[in-house]
Structure formats: C-alpha cells, structure tokens
Amino acid sequence: MTNRKNTHSLAHLHVLVSGASVAGPALALNLARYGARVTVVEKAPALRGGGFAVDFRGHVHRKVLKDMGIWDEIHARQTHMGRQTVVDADGTARVDLPAEMMSGDVEIFRGELARIMYERTADRVEYVFGDSVATLTDTDDGVEVTFERGAPRRFDLVVGADGLHSNTRRLVFGDESRHLRFFDHYVAGFAVPNHLGLDRTGRLYSEPGRAVVIGNYDGDPDRAGALLVFRSEELTYDRRDVAAQKRILAGRFAGMGWETPRVLDALEKTDDLYFDAIAQIHVDRLTKGRVALLGDAGYGATMGGMGTGVAIVGAYVLAGELALAGGDHRTAFAAYEGRVRDFAKGCQKISGNAGPFFAPPTERRIRSRDRMYRLLGSRMLSGFFKRLTERAATAIELRDYPAA
C-alpha cells in the first residue's frame, strides 16, 4: 500500500474533460483537489437538471463520496424514496419492492448530483457549455483539440466522460457499432401529472414484453415521473427526432392497461423525453495515448448497472492514480485501467437483467418475477438481499491515494 502524502500537486497538468453530466464534474472535482487545471466542455447550453434518480450503496461508494467532500450534501438532497409496488391492471398490489432494493443506501436525482459537484468546482474549473470536441490529435507532448465552435486548444490529457454515445470514444476508439451491445429492450422517461397521489413511492405494472412505472421521488403532490420499458428488436431511428420517438412509444404501448392511457397523454405533451436502448459499452481498452474514457463512455450500461456509482469511483481512481504517478499518464492510465475494468464489468453483469425485470416476456415470467421478489423482500431474507445488491458495488479495493 502506498504511503499517504500531505500534498501531491498536479498543477502542471491541463486536462480537457468532455461531458458535464456526472462523470465529468466528478473527475473535475477530484482533479481540482490535486491542483490540476481542468476544462470541461459540454454540448448542452447549460448544466442539465432533473434526470433519473441514482443511488449509492456500500462502503466503497461511501468512502469515495466522503473523500470528495460531498457525502453530507448528497444526504441533505436525497429523495427519501420509499417502497415501490408491483400492481395488477386494477391497481391491486402484487408485491412490494423494498426501498433499499431500488434506492440503495442513499438516492439523489442525477441533476442534483451534477449540481453539487459543479458548485464545488465552478470557481476552480473552466466550464464551456454549448460546444463539443470536433477533432483530437494526440502528439508526443499533448493533445491538439479543435471544437465545433471554440478556437483550437492544446491539453496535456483528454478524458471522454460524454456518455453511452460518446463522441470522444468515436473519435479515438472507433465507431459506436464496435462497442455497443444491445440488450433487446428500450427505455423512456418523462414527467407526468401525479394522478395517483403518490408521495415518494412508485407503482410498476407489467404486461408481457412491456412495463409502465409511475413514481414520485420528491414529494411534489402535482408531479411524478414515468418510466416505460419494452422488449424489441433493434430499431433504426434518429436520436434527435423526438416526434419519431414518441410515435414509437405510442405504438408499442397502445392498448396497454392500468394507467397507460394517461401516461401516453402526458407523453404527447412532454418536451423533455429520454429515450434510448438498454445497452452496454464494451471497449478493448479504456485508454489510448493521452486519451482516457470514464463512466458510461467506457463501461456504460443504460440502467441497472449502478453506472453512476461506477463513474464516481472511476473518477476517484483516475485522479488518484494521476496523483500517485506525479502526472505521468502512462503509469496512471495503466493503473486506472487495471483497477477499474473488472469492477465495471461486474456491475455491468447486473444491468443485463434490467429489461427482463421490468418487462418479462410472458405472463408466466411475470408471475415468477413477483414470487422471487416477494421472497427476497421478506424479513427473513432482507439481510441477504442487501448483501447481494452491495456485492458488485464493493468489488474493488481502493488504494490509499495521496491527501489532496
């Protein structure tokens, strides 16, 4: 184990981070703690709010968040989400899903988490919104970067933290088709009126191959969120064409029972739709030259793989390894890859079950799912279930990185 030092400056490094969702600000915060100069470029015009709720669980997540100095603030802004209930078409409860199963030890909206890290770094980190990387040229002593809008610049290192459909990964590691594995399901999310009067609880209704979830995470009596999951062959559609995505969803969920007609009415009116395949990213390497991939860009899973927790841990490890190596990216990148790869793959394995969990393919599978989770949610097995859900989240040994 490496001895802890009082200081270990990275002030000589200028790092470009592409993406300001969660992984990007997390790395910016960790690098800034060591004094690195960091520029974060984000194609959106401003920091994105809202988004799905994300959770943290186990001692590894807790240590990383405490070392980053944001554990208490996450707790202060957590959702306090309670149980979620699987229901029949008439709303009758079939099985309760314990809060710790769906929400971990602590849960927070993705946008709130990004805001916390942004606020902690805004006076030390350069954030450039409304722009994106156009080209990357890796040289012996730096990376020459051109942007869609801004002037060309040179950086010591570049980190792609720009999500499942990473532009950085495409530019340096090849086309997305080489790395994305489709898992036979799609997911959508958007706001809906709180017709059910939910208060930090959720309802899940499944029919073969499709599911509708309505949840209230913040106690707002008027607002809720809808999650739609459906089984499908791989679809061809324009990711920028929201109207086309709405038509796909309306067709796939036509005739479904429970609250689905109300949800589809809200879908027609929403201007904030998330729609994507349930998929994973698998790359041969996480680093190449002076460029590294972080979070969903390198080892992403659309849902169910604790992707936010993995991204936060990955950012902590990458910054810590750079500090240990005195900024030597060759040494640091190799150590980062060696420590994070298996951890990320272990969490990804869990995400492969997300689609079938929400939308089992047959009525028989739906009943089987309900029986299994009724058993796992029982008092007798609650401790076992908690350990089971934490196993992947804690399957990494953190090094004793230098004190920031």
Side-chain angles (χ1 to χ4, degrees):
M1 184 173 289
T2 303
N3 291 328
R4 185 177 291 275
K5 300 179 181 180
N6 289 331
T7 60
H8 206 299
S9 175
L10 293 177
H12 59 291
L13 280 186
H14 191 182
V15 182
L16 174 66
V17 180
S18 177
S21 178
V22 167
L27 182 62
L29 175 56
N30 281 289
L31 288 175
R33 293 168 61 229
Y34 293 114
R37 292 175 295 147
V38 184
T39 297
V40 178
V41 61
E42 166 58 49
K43 65 181 179 180
L47 197 69
R48 292 169 176 167
F52 293 118
V54 298
D55 64 76
F56 299 99
R57 56 188 74 208
H59 68 274
V60 170
H61 290 175
R62 184 165 56 251
K63 173 177 170 49
V64 169
L65 295 170
K66 284 187 173 181
D67 283 357
M68 291 171 63
I70 59 176
W71 174 257
D72 290 340
E73 196 161 358
I74 287 173
H75 269 264
R77 301 196 199 183
Q78 67 178 301
T79 63
H80 295 287
M81 186 66 175
R83 285 177 170 261
Q84 302 197 44
T85 304
V86 179
V87 298
D88 281 324
D90 62 1
T92 302
R94 296 175 65 146
V95 59
D96 280 338
L97 305 176
E100 59 268 22
M101 173 194 166
M102 304 296 285
S103 305
D105 298 333
V106 63
E107 182 182 62
I108 186 171
F109 283 112
R110 178 181 288 268
E112 283 287 291
L113 177 61
R115 174 67 59 183
I116 289 171
M117 295 185 291
Y118 172 76
E119 290 172 349
R120 291 293 182 96
T121 57
D123 61 341
R124 296 177 287 165
V125 171
E126 177 189 18
Y127 283 88
V128 179
F129 291 100
D131 206 350
S132 61
V133 174
T135 65
L136 295 167
T137 304
D138 201 335
T139 69
D140 290 340
D141 58 355
V143 186
E144 305 293 337
V145 183
T146 66
F147 297 90
E148 295 294 341
R149 298 180 62 184
R153 298 174 67 176
R154 178 191 173 281
F155 299 88
D156 296 304
L157 304 173
V158 174
V159 178
D162 41 355
L164 203 72
H165 304 290
S166 169
N167 180 51
T168 308
R169 187 185 62 237
R170 178 184 61 82
L171 291 171
V172 178
F173 296 83
D175 189 77
E176 180 177 293
S177 61
R178 296 170 53 183
H179 310 298
L180 188 142
R181 297 184 187 175
F182 174 60
F183 276 74
D184 301 320
H185 291 78
Y186 285 84
V187 59
F190 50 95
V192 297
N194 192 4
H195 291 121
L196 298 177
L198 303 175
D199 183 7
R200 291 185 171 89
T201 59
R203 302 290 184 270
L204 162 62
Y205 173 67
S206 300
E207 293 181 3
R210 52 187 183 175
V212 173
V213 185
I214 302 176
N216 172 274
Y217 286 79
D218 58 5
D220 187 325
D222 299 319
R223 183 181 62 184
L227 181 77
L228 275 59
V229 179
F230 66 94
R231 184 178 179 87
S232 174
E233 70 285 355
E234 193 164 3
L235 303 175
T236 300
Y237 63 95
D238 186 343
R239 291 180 51 240
R240 296 164 296 184
D241 190 343
V242 177
Q245 295 166 28
K246 288 183 177 182
R247 288 194 294 271
I248 291 171
L249 289 166
R252 294 286 177 154
F253 286 86
M256 190 172 179
W258 189 54
E259 294 288 321
T260 307
R262 284 180 167 181
V263 170
L264 293 180
D265 285 344
L267 168 67
E268 186 177 343
K269 300 169 186 173
T270 189
D271 57 2
D272 189 24
L273 173 66
Y274 169 85
F275 180 81
D276 208 342
I278 296 182
Q280 293 178 359
I281 294 298
H282 293 266
V283 293
D284 294 331
R285 296 181 58 191
L286 296 174
T287 64
K288 185 176 181 181
R290 291 175 174 268
V291 180
L293 299 176
L294 174 67
D296 283 355
Y299 30 85
T302 309
M303 61 188 303
M306 293 178 285
T308 301
V310 179
I312 294 283
V313 172
Y316 177 84
V317 170
L318 179 54
E321 293 297 342
L322 282 166
L324 278 178
D328 178 359
H329 71 280
R330 294 178 182 86
T331 300
F333 281 5
Y336 160 68
E337 184 141 10
R339 291 190 169 275
V340 168
R341 176 176 290 279
D342 288 345
F343 170 62
K345 285 185 177 297
C347 293
Q348 280 184 322
K349 287 180 181 178
I350 300 172
S351 73
N353 298 321
F357 164 75
F358 284 102
T362 65
E363 285 287 358
R364 181 179 178 182
R365 292 283 185 87
I366 292 173
R367 292 193 298 271
S368 177
R369 175 203 64 187
D370 294 350
R371 285 195 300 269
M372 179 177 67
Y373 282 96
R374 189 176 297 113
L375 180 63
L376 288 173
S378 68
R379 182 175 300 178
M380 182 176 63
L381 291 180
S382 59
F384 166 78
F385 184 77
K386 187 176 190 298
R387 291 191 298 273
L388 186 67
T389 59
E390 288 181 0
R391 183 178 299 168
T394 58
I396 184 173
E397 184 176 349
L398 297 174
R399 299 177 77 180
D400 190 15
Y401 293 119

